[in-house]
Amino acid sequence: MSQVQTGLDLTGIQKKVVAGEYGDALVDLEQVLSSRPDEPEALYMRAVCQRYQRRFDEAAECLERLKAVAPDHGRGHQEEGHLYRAMGDDHSALSAYGRACQLNPALVASWKAQLEILVQLGRTAEAQQIKAQLEWLQALPKPLVAVMDLISQGKLLKAEDICRRFLQKIPHHVEAMRLLADISIGFGILEDAEFLLESALKFKPDNIRVRMDYIQALRKRQKFEKALAEAKTLLDTSPDNVQFQSLYAIEAMQTGDYDTALALFDKILSRVPGDANTLTSKGHALKTCGRVDEAVGCYKGSLKSNPNHGEAYFSLANLKIYTFSDSEIEEMHRQEANTNLTHMQRVYLCFALGKAYEDKGEYASAFKYYDRGNHLKKLQSRYRAESMTGEMRAQQAVCTRELFERRSGAGHPAPDPIFIVGLPRAGSTLLEQILSSHSQVDGTLELPNILSLSQRLRRMGRDKGCADYPEILGHLSDEELQQFGEEYIRDTRIHRRGAPFFIDKMPNNFRHIGLIRLILPNARIIDARRHPMACCFSGYKQLFAEGQEFSYDLRNIGTYYRDYVELMDHWDRVLPGFVLRVQYEDVVADLRGQVRRLLEFCGLPFEQACLEFHKTERNVRTPSSEQVRQPIFRSGVEQWRYFEPWLAPLKEALGEAVLERCEQSSQQDSSIGGVGT
């Protein structure tokens, strides 16, 4: 049965359910489920029909199956609430309705049911909160409730269409603008989201929802000072509001003010002892500051308060130096079997279990959970490997030697930036820690500025109806290139501490080296490279905070690495000597030699602190934060070989040429410029 046919069948079946023809609907649903046993909408409708026929046990079994295949199905949790109510279990119903509203705040029936139950139970204060939310929702225009519902289901294109049509009729409707901004964030169009929310605030500066979303959009764009100022504005309206305090603490962390953040987290915990989310956030702050034992205490405290808080288990695993006990592994298994977990909590647990079994040397079990976590994460992704390959090939077609010769002398001459590019988990944090240990270099973050500029240029070309990015690079004037370079230096200044040079370690900038050369011709670029199998598998077993969507599939990550090597070869041909290639394995084998090579390329005098990088006290926000606070280690170089029996798809995607070339290059000495690897 095709997907289109199934869709038509489900539409017809839905009409039968609405009409109360439950018997006929169930017959049709069994036919659908015989060919597609995990079809969420079919499972949902079957549970509805079974409840109306008072077949409660069958309905409960069906809902358990639905939650297993679609844990974030809001209506499924709502239906579970209806089922519990029909069975006379109001307390369980209340929990189910609460989960439903958390997953899909547009479910009016769940808000109403919560209100009725809370009133019956005499829980007046909670009932008033639910009543306020229900009244707000019922006051919204119906098209916007539909948009909210579609966003919760992940149907962003349809949600965007309805929202834009609504705004054409009522252009300055603040909630519509907020929802459209939410959709833009879902699509990764952060600049549009920021503009929409900033505009909405001008119309209604007292709208708390809009301001909170605006702060989050600013944070995603790494406009941390501005986000902090907005969070302060919000906090000033209600200084004792715990939610506002938490938001301000998070923004303080982003600006590097960990003392303020930790003080606020402690203030919150004095009022809400054991709050799992606050303890986890406090743990993140402590980890970044290198206070690992205290971070572990916070994560464990979070789990004591909320044993199914998967993020805390993953945070322990993500320290890289924490080993789970057998009892903790047993508890993770118990939680993973809980069908009421959200999709992301299950993802967190799978990656944590993968790390737990890897540490025990049980590699088959470790791979099973890494693979399951990646599969679940990929379900949320829109990544297409062929599209990314096309983008990288376009860079090669546009960014020719002739282009760079023709634009020689253009751009901003500042030599300040040192870009570290490559793939995640290739050793970029190690190189950053080495260089930022130098007195003349500031370490910063994975800065989004170049990626944001590439998106801006893409829109600029489309708006003018001319060239797309990267084609537009050949049409920019010298003045524009100068301006973009100046903007980059100005906008990144917030992350610097006064040293003459600074590091931008956004790995994906390797796709935009042509743009960097045109706007900042005197920048240094370092390609952090690692053995393809080691690099790709290390990325596969890492759950990233956001982005890096290619990493959740072995074939996709192998293809991405192959395309990366091909594009870096192109940069070496058209910009010889502009990029220094540093092989992770070479750094492990000859730290002193590679440090001297790095410093020479950057035009920096040798400093002993660069060899003793693990002693440098600085805040490190990447997954490697604890590893770079230790002397260099060799144990991770060949770790991937324990998993080799399951990595055939990765090898196939990489191709023999890439693997053979790596083996050959590992036998050769590195040379300055690094263009021959």
Side-chain angles (χ1 to χ4, degrees), residues 175-239:
E175 183 59 20
M177 295 170 76
R178 189 186 74 82
L179 289 170
L180 187 58
D182 191 21
I183 294 166
S184 296
I185 289 173
F187 283 131
I189 310 172
L190 302 180
E191 191 173 349
D192 287 3
E194 179 188 349
F195 174 76
L196 281 162
L197 293 165
E198 187 175 34
S199 301
L201 271 181
K202 289 177 181 176
F203 296 127
K204 286 197 175 179
D206 296 332
N207 189 303
I208 292 173
R209 281 188 175 88
V210 172
R211 192 171 297 278
M212 291 180 74
D213 283 5
Y214 183 47
I215 292 166
Q216 291 174 22
L218 290 169
R219 186 195 315 145
K220 282 181 177 291
R221 298 204 68 202
Q222 296 198 4
K223 295 187 174 183
F224 298 133
E225 290 285 356
K226 195 170 182 181
L228 184 67
E230 291 293 332
K232 183 67 165 61
T233 298
L234 193 61
L235 183 60
D236 286 345
T237 65
S238 181

Side-chain angles (χ1 to χ4, degrees), residues 376-422:
L376 291 171
K377 184 66 176 170
K378 187 183 175 186
L379 291 175
Q380 300 177 314
S381 172
R382 294 180 174 83
Y383 181 80
R384 296 292 178 269
E386 57 274 16
S387 299
M388 183 58 68
T389 298
E391 287 186 25
M392 294 202 216
R393 296 272 169 83
Q395 290 283 340
Q396 296 180 52
V398 171
C399 297
T400 62
R401 186 187 292 262
E402 184 275 332
L403 171 66
F404 296 118
E405 289 174 350
R406 181 161 50 89
R407 308 314 292 273
S408 177
H412 184 50
D416 310 22
I418 301 170
F419 292 91
I420 301 178
V421 303

